[in-house]
Amino acid sequence: MNRGHRMTWIASLFAFSLLATQAWGAEGFPTKPLELVVPYAAGGSTDVMCRTIVARAAPFLNNQPCVVVNKVGGGTVVGSRYVLDGRNDGYTLYSTSTSSMMIAPVVNKTNFSWRDFIGICQTMLGSDALYVRADAPFKTLDQFVEYAKQNPGKIKYSTSGAGGSPHLSVEGLAAAKGISLKQIPTKGDAEAVTALLGGHVMAASGNPIAYQPHVDAGKLRCLAQFSAERDKAFLPNIPTYKELGVDVVVDLWRWVVVPKAVSPEKIKFLREAFTKILRDKETLVALEKIQCPVSYLPGEDYEKTMSKSEAAIMPLIKAAGL
Amino acid sequence: MELLANLYQGFQICFSPINLLYCFVGVLLGTLIGVLPGIGPGAAIALLLPTTFRVSPVSAIIMLAGIYYGAMYGGSTTSILVNIPGEAASVVTCIDGYQMARQGRAGPALGISAFGSFIAGTLSVVGLMVLAVPLSNVALQFGFPEYFAIMCLGLSIVSYLGRGSIFKSLLMAALGVSLSFVGMDVVVGKPRFDFGLLVLGDGVGLIPLLMGLFGIAEVFSNIEEKIQAREIFQTKIKGLLPTVRDWKDSWAAITRGALLGFFLGILPGGGAVVSSFVSYAVEKKVSKHPEKFGTGAIEGVAGPESANNAATGGAFIPLFVLGIPSNVAMALLLGALMIHGLQPGPLLLQQHPEIFWGTVASMYIGNVMLLVLNLPLIGLWVKLLKVPYKILFPMILLFCLIGAYSENNNPADMLVMLFFGALGYLLRKYGYDLAPLVLAFVLGRQMEQAFRQSLILSDGSFWVFFSRPISAVAMGLAIFLLVSALIPAFKRKREKIEVDEI
Amino acid sequence: MQRYDRIFSLIWIALGVFQCAESFSLGLGSVMEPGTGFMPFVMGLVLIALAIALFLESHFATRGTSPTKSSPWSDVHWKRVVYITLIMLGYAVLLPKLGYLLDTFLVMIFLMKSGEPIKWPTALVVGAVTAVFSYVLFGIWLNVSFPEGILSFRG
């Protein structure tokens, strides 16, 4: 053959061999890598936690790796849609939180809700908190509320975003105590912290991870946390809203879920696998290091947890005018 | 002096074989990532994060930091060679860098870019070392009105960026700002202007926009040419390094760029991008021959490339001193610190000074490594120009497509990119400059956010922008720049002089 | 070019009007408490103002300019641009169905064929090599997750 024909032959062979290497997988589940979808950008606290969890997960998943996939956008809606529109074959898991499962669907008026998913397990339970500067005129929540009563509209507080759980938690406080506070939303905890540190706002609300270093350095003070019970890992010495007489509860949980349509056998397998993953010593140590201690609940508790959360959050969303 | 003692300690840490290796790997990867259009250091850092689990924190940060500032070296390569920016901070490099390449001076352009990056990068590390703590306190003074004023100032310099009609440049800027409004409204938490498209839910992506306007549109403009003018300029390559004359022209630009970049890099939100644009405008304004800009003035490459590298040094200040990340890459570094059990924040410097000093020392070494790496690569890149365009352009298009896809793993982003490719192609045909659009797009959303935040803060009073010292100065300067650029245009109309040829 | 400037001015004005209308429906809020549509509305007005200025500028500058190309569309292969756009559109749409390797291989060949003349063997080889190398570089080294489509490797 001349050179031209030979090239064509080689190329065709190449193309055929590509087609021919379709692998038909062995029996069992799983037989190929799984995805854990995170609706936030890489490097954020959810992303880091998920990567830590899946790093040592393969032995419990039929030796298949589980890979974190970031699907950012639309305030977590893109991630939720990606999971729901996927193949429902049990290979796509979703790491959700109060924000993405409870708040985002309502605020964005999507056509899905937590009822379209089924729980594999809870991974974390935490709380946001309310912070002020250490040199502020108020040192307790009561003094804060007093000040707000005497200076209506004067207190501005920063949050990591409008419609997020910190925002709702503070608006809940305002509604419960009849004070008016003005929110200045920012694009993330980093900006919110900076605004408070610089004295541009008088209070801030958000994830303790971002604020704790400054509390330790003596620059900020924490007034209250929003969950039902004190977060033992992070804020053991900070009173909750309930303890201080504010009838508002915002629990921040993180769950791993899959779409409801996944087959029951696969769900059972995943639930058992993740129970073991979250008991693995090395994983637990790693999670402690990144300050995300595990707060495990089995998948069967999904409906109960979600309903409770929904009942607590809905009135707050309405109160915040969303 | 305590500073030198600390630095010495840092070098001691850095000179261990492991850390030197990690530094090298980091800067090497960074350079290569920087060359690939659309894929930024963020992706590489996220990817390599797990591999750092088992090493010491210092080694991890040394490598990841190397990726970040290394990427800034590589970004100018494609800008100069094929008029396609590797990232938003290299857009202005295209303007004069590509022209230099067309004149056979790709080598000197790449060379001055590498040298400028080295000098500015090193200077910014010095700045980081000496000024970190006081500057971070200054940075905290910047509240919402100050940010708004700075954004306005940044926007006002678009009037100096374009060639030809100033109204066209301003139109592009207005368009850029308007495009930036697409997506989620942060202040209210609801989407707007997304036309129901999920891909636009978080706004128009910067990467698809950039790849489309500059990458795709550039290929389109070349493909349609009947005479293959490209073949002609490939053959006459005059020399691979900057000449003495080049150095004489550039050293001032490099110095100015370094200062600008370092200080602007401290402020969150597009530090490297904004500083490269500002540097270009400054160089054009102070130059004795501003008409040369746009035709291959080396200052137009030296200044911006120095600025964007200096900005990387400045970006570390909020991270190390306050534990606050000023961009995506810094946020990932923050995550890395946390994974290693370190709490970023004001106490980090006190409790773990070795992290800061080890990294600072490694940045000096890293910059040297980058210079040594990049100079020989110039010859390699220049050879790439000789690949026949009919094979090169599909690859360029493919890389753009992948670049657009890779940020969110969403094919719809490719469609967004194609839309902007068509738009950019048409706009170029009818004489519009696209650089103002990019700058305005980067600044637009943040400007609006700062504006509304300021008004909530001031309970609706506009006076807030002018009553605070920093923002008053910045606003005044912005208004002055804009007006002084517009006056000639009006004068010209009244006197009916010939308009600039487009 | 002046004529095109004036035509474009009208386009910009139309765009500005559209933007103002959309912003209005989003709610302007008040000047003291700007709503979602406030800034976009202002920008729409700016667009209109600048477009008018551009129109006037080109109107007054008609004298004394040498005619440039009769049209930016004469004497160029604009059809190639259209083909390439359609090819890339196809790439984006088919990517989830065909998977990265096959889709990339095909798109490279189509793109090359749409440019200057190129021999088939060269095109096939370049296409295959590019597809594989880019898969290794982006899909494996850089861990970009590509759809697998009809060619499933992992398993």
Side-chain angles (χ1 to χ4, degrees):
Chain A
M1 309 176 216
N2 68 22
R3 193 164 173 273
H5 281 166
R6 186 174 295 157
M7 293 295 260
T8 316
W9 238 115
I10 294 177
S12 316
L13 264 178
F14 190 85
F16 269 119
S17 59
L18 282 182
L19 284 165
T21 48
Q22 273 221 3
W24 287 275
E27 285 303 319
F29 170 80
T31 55
K32 59 180 173 119
L34 304 104
E35 292 189 320
L36 178 59
V37 176
V38 170
Y40 298 104
S45 56
T46 312
D47 174 76
V48 168
M49 180 192 84
C50 289
R51 286 179 196 272
T52 313
I53 293 180
V54 303
R56 284 159 269 265
F60 307 99
L61 295 168
N62 226 6
N63 276 319
Q64 294 292 338
C66 184
V67 180
V68 166
V69 171
N70 304 85
K71 289 282 179 193
V72 186
T76 75
V77 174
V78 168
S80 308
R81 277 258 69 97
Y82 173 79
V83 172
L84 281 175
D85 295 340
R87 274 192 282 206
N88 293 340
D89 55 4
Y91 283 91
T92 308
L93 299 103
Y94 191 32
S95 170
T96 78
S97 62
T98 317
S99 303
S100 56
M101 199 62 104
M102 283 293 138
I103 303 177
V106 176
V107 170
N108 291 306
K109 298 190 179 46
T110 61
N111 56 6
F112 63 84
S113 77
W114 64 265
R115 294 181 174 80
D116 295 302
F117 296 91
I118 195 159
I120 300 297
C121 73
Q122 179 174 290
T123 52
M124 210 181 111
L125 187 64
S127 177
D128 287 332
L130 179 66
Y131 293 90
V132 298
R133 284 167 62 102
D135 56 12
F138 22 79
K139 304 206 185 328
T140 70
L141 190 67
D142 284 330
Q143 290 178 0
F144 180 77
V145 172
E146 244 333 283
Y147 187 95
K149 282 208 173 108
Q150 288 169 5
N151 302 283
K154 181 152 182 241
I155 295 190
K156 319 271 191 301
Y157 68 97
S158 60
T159 67
S160 53
S165 52
H167 175 206
L168 295 180
S169 310
V170 178
E171 288 301 318
L173 170 72
K177 292 287 179 178
I179 51 179
S180 97
L181 304 165
K182 279 181 118 179
Q183 183 212 190
I184 301 190
T186 70
K187 269 201 320 277
D189 278 317
E191 286 187 28
V193 175
T194 314
L196 182 62
L197 282 175
H200 305 287
V201 291
M202 297 179 85
S205 168
N207 191 332
I209 290 187
Y211 293 83
Q212 196 58 34
H214 303 278
V215 174
D216 291 337
K219 294 268 167 48
L220 298 181
R221 187 198 314 275
C222 183
L223 290 185
Q225 57 180 307
F226 311 139
S227 49
E229 294 180 6
R230 291 196 185 185
D231 181 345
K232 301 233 173 24
F234 250 115
L235 306 165
N237 301 319
I238 305 294
T240 66
Y241 263 173
K242 262 182 25 188
E243 290 174 33
L244 295 171
V246 183
D247 193 20
V248 170
V249 169
V250 180
D251 273 323
L252 286 187
W253 37 260
R254 285 195 196 141
W255 271 78
V256 173
V257 299
V258 289
K260 215 169 49 172
V262 172
S263 74
E265 306 89 55
K266 292 186 180 159
I267 292 180
K268 184 155 168 288
F269 177 86
L270 286 170
R271 282 181 176 172
E272 284 169 6
F274 269 83
T275 311
K276 296 196 200 115
I277 293 173
L278 289 179
R279 291 222 186 102
D280 171 58
K281 264 233 191 81
E282 275 192 27
T283 307
L284 288 177
V285 165
L287 284 172
E288 290 272 343
K289 264 175 112 181
I290 60 168
Q291 297 160 359
C292 284
V294 169
S295 182
Y296 169 83
L297 275 183
E300 291 78 6
D301 286 350
Y302 180 67
E303 267 103 56
K304 203 172 62 174
T305 318
M306 294 296 128
S307 312
K308 221 175 63 169
S309 192
E310 189 178 33
I313 298 267
M314 281 308 173
L316 292 178
I317 297 182
K318 287 207 176 53
L322 293 165
Chain B
M1 238 180 33
E2 203 194 307
L3 191 95
L4 289 177
N6 283 327
L7 187 60
Y8 182 67
Q9 229 194 348
F11 273 110
Q12 275 188 316
I13 298 174
C14 192
F15 269 111
S16 78
I18 286 262
N19 288 337
L20 281 177
L21 176 69
Y22 268 77
C23 185
F24 180 71
V25 169
V27 299
L28 177 66
L29 281 172
T31 308
L32 295 175
I33 297 277
V35 174
L36 291 173
I39 304 206
I45 295 179
L47 179 72
L48 289 166
L49 209 54
T51 66
T52 66
F53 284 175
R54 297 195 186 281
V55 297
S56 79
V58 188
S59 311
I61 300 293
I62 286 180
M63 179 176 83
L64 298 175
I67 297 179
Y68 176 60
Y69 58 86
M72 224 33 106
Y73 271 77
S76 54
T77 309
T78 48
S79 306
I80 294 172
L81 292 178
V82 286
N83 208 20
I84 297 174
E87 71 227 323
S90 307
V91 167
V92 275
T93 312
C94 292
I95 304 179
D96 279 273
Y98 182 60
Q99 293 303 317
M100 284 182 71
R102 294 187 74 166
Q103 295 158 16
R105 302 232 300 145
L110 289 168
I112 205 75
S113 180
F115 279 113
S117 301
F118 170 70
I119 296 173
T122 308
L123 283 176
S124 79
V125 181
V126 173
L128 171 65
M129 193 174 70
V130 174
L131 296 173
V133 177
L135 276 182
S136 63
N137 288 330
V138 172
L140 280 181
Q141 300 292 323
F142 276 69
F144 308 113
E146 283 74 25
Y147 278 121
F148 176 70
I150 297 277
M151 304 286 156
C152 284
L153 187 55
L155 274 178
S156 67
I157 65 160
V158 293
S159 35
Y160 292 93
L161 281 180
R163 302 154 271 184
S165 160
I166 189 178
F167 295 117
K168 282 185 168 179
S169 302
L170 290 177
L171 263 170
M172 287 294 100
L175 189 62
V177 174
S178 304
L179 281 171
S180 77
F181 290 148
V182 172
M184 186 72 77
D185 177 357
V186 179
V187 178
V188 171
K190 298 237 171 121
R192 62 180 169 180
F193 292 129
D194 62 0
F195 301 110
L197 295 169
L198 196 58
V199 70
L200 291 179
D202 233 13
V204 175
L206 177 61
I207 302 290
L209 179 94
L210 207 57
M211 295 291 108
L213 286 179
F214 289 88
I216 308 287
E218 174 66 21
V219 172
F220 283 170
S221 307
N222 284 323
I223 279 293
E224 65 168 11
E225 274 172 29
K226 287 229 158 118
I227 310 157
Q228 283 301 70
R230 295 193 60 83
E231 319 289 354
I232 302 175
F233 87 82
Q234 273 166 206
T235 50
K236 47 175 188 120
I237 310 270
K238 310 185 211 145
L240 282 182
L241 284 179
T243 63
V244 174
R245 178 70 205 279
D246 288 332
W247 276 105
K248 229 172 65 117
D249 290 334
S250 313
W251 72 267
I254 294 178
T255 318
R256 283 188 286 261
L259 282 170
L260 263 174
F262 178 67
F263 287 107
L264 281 175
I266 302 177
L267 300 175
V273 177
V274 176
S275 54
S276 66
F277 276 91
V278 172
S279 166
Y280 188 82
V282 165
E283 291 312 311
K284 195 168 171 185
K285 192 88 170 85
V286 305
S287 165
K288 293 189 185 55
H289 37 83
E291 68 285 350
K292 267 182 66 183
F293 277 74
T295 67
I298 199 167
E299 305 92 308
V301 176
E305 278 303 311
S306 308
N308 66 25
N309 276 76
T312 63
F316 280 97
I317 292 186
L319 177 72
F320 278 131
V321 179
L322 295 171
I324 293 174
S326 41
N327 59 46
V328 171
M330 292 296 122
L332 288 169
L333 283 178
L334 193 86
L337 284 169
M338 285 176 51
I339 290 182
H340 285 275
L342 297 168
Q343 233 192 22
L347 293 181
L348 186 71
L349 281 185
Q350 290 169 15
Q351 292 169 347
H352 294 276
E354 73 277 5
I355 302 280
F356 179 73
W357 292 106
T359 309
V360 165
S362 78
M363 286 168 76
Y364 285 116
I365 300 179
N367 273 296
V368 173
M369 286 187 189
L370 281 163
L371 189 65
V372 168
L373 263 178
N374 276 282
L375 285 180
L377 283 178
I378 294 180
L380 181 70
W381 300 132
V382 169
K383 284 213 181 64
L384 261 182
L385 281 178
K386 297 205 188 252
V387 174
Y389 200 63
K390 58 189 178 189
I391 297 188
L392 195 60
F393 89 82
M395 295 201 191
I396 295 178
L397 289 177
L398 179 68
F399 277 50
C400 287
L401 284 165
I402 298 177
Y405 172 82
S406 65
E407 195 174 5
N408 288 324
N409 296 331
N410 187 357
D413 278 325
M414 295 191 204
L415 298 173
V416 174
M417 178 180 76
L418 285 177
F419 171 76
F420 282 105
L423 185 69
Y425 171 63
L426 290 172
L427 287 175
R428 280 190 207 202
K429 263 198 178 303
Y430 291 106
Y432 287 88
D433 265 324
L434 296 175
L437 203 161
V438 174
L439 180 64
F441 179 78
V442 169
L443 289 178
R445 190 101 76 102
Q446 300 177 54
M447 181 194 75
E448 187 215 11
Q449 186 184 309
F451 178 70
R452 288 160 79 181
Q453 287 168 329
S454 305
L455 284 181
I456 299 181
L457 188 67
S458 70
D459 291 313
S461 157
F462 272 81
W463 191 234
V464 70
F465 298 117
F466 297 99
S467 57
R468 295 155 71 120
I470 305 181
S471 69
V473 167
M475 289 297 290
L477 202 55
I479 296 175
F480 170 72
L481 283 175
L482 198 58
V483 169
S484 65
L486 278 173
I487 290 185
F490 286 112
K491 269 179 64 181
R492 211 187 304 136
K493 263 170 49 185
R494 265 192 268 121
E495 295 174 13
K496 290 195 182 163
I497 303 174
E498 259 108 278
V499 79
D500 289 331
E501 52 179 351
I502 307 294
Chain C
M1 191 54 80
Q2 275 67 45
R3 199 184 59 160
Y4 298 119
D5 280 354
R6 285 198 285 274
I7 297 178
F8 259 92
S9 308
L10 298 177
I11 297 178
W12 298 129
I13 293 180
L15 185 64
V17 169
F18 172 72
Q19 188 166 318
C20 285
E22 282 289 308
S23 315
F24 197 75
S25 69
L26 281 175
L28 295 184
S30 65
V31 173
M32 302 224 301
E33 224 188 281
T36 309
F38 184 79
M39 268 299 209
F41 186 79
V42 170
M43 272 300 138
L45 292 177
V46 169
L47 268 173
I48 296 175
L50 287 171
I52 295 177
L54 181 65
F55 187 91
L56 291 174
E57 184 186 49
S58 73
H59 181 70
F60 284 120
T62 319
R63 281 206 280 147
T65 45
S66 48
T68 46
K69 283 200 280 196
S70 51
S71 151
W73 297 106
S74 61
D75 208 36
V76 287
H77 287 306
W78 60 268
K79 279 200 194 143
R80 278 190 198 165
V81 175
V82 177
Y83 291 152
I84 294 179
T85 309
L86 291 173
I87 293 171
M88 289 199 285
L89 225 85
Y91 181 75
V93 167
L94 290 174
L95 186 63
K97 295 196 181 59
L98 292 182
Y100 179 77
L101 277 169
L102 188 58
D103 207 18
T104 305
F105 178 58
L106 290 175
V107 87
M108 286 296 293
I109 295 183
F110 275 106
L111 283 176
M112 283 189 281
K113 276 294 176 186
S114 67
E116 296 293 326
I118 187 169
K119 299 205 198 84
W120 265 108
T122 322
L124 284 175
V125 170
V126 172
V129 166
T130 311
V132 172
F133 267 155
S134 60
Y135 181 74
V136 170
L137 173 63
F138 292 104
I140 298 185
W141 286 353
L142 289 177
N143 221 13
V144 179
S145 68
F146 290 123
E148 285 162 29
I150 63 178
L151 301 179
S152 256
F153 274 179
R154 309 192 245 166

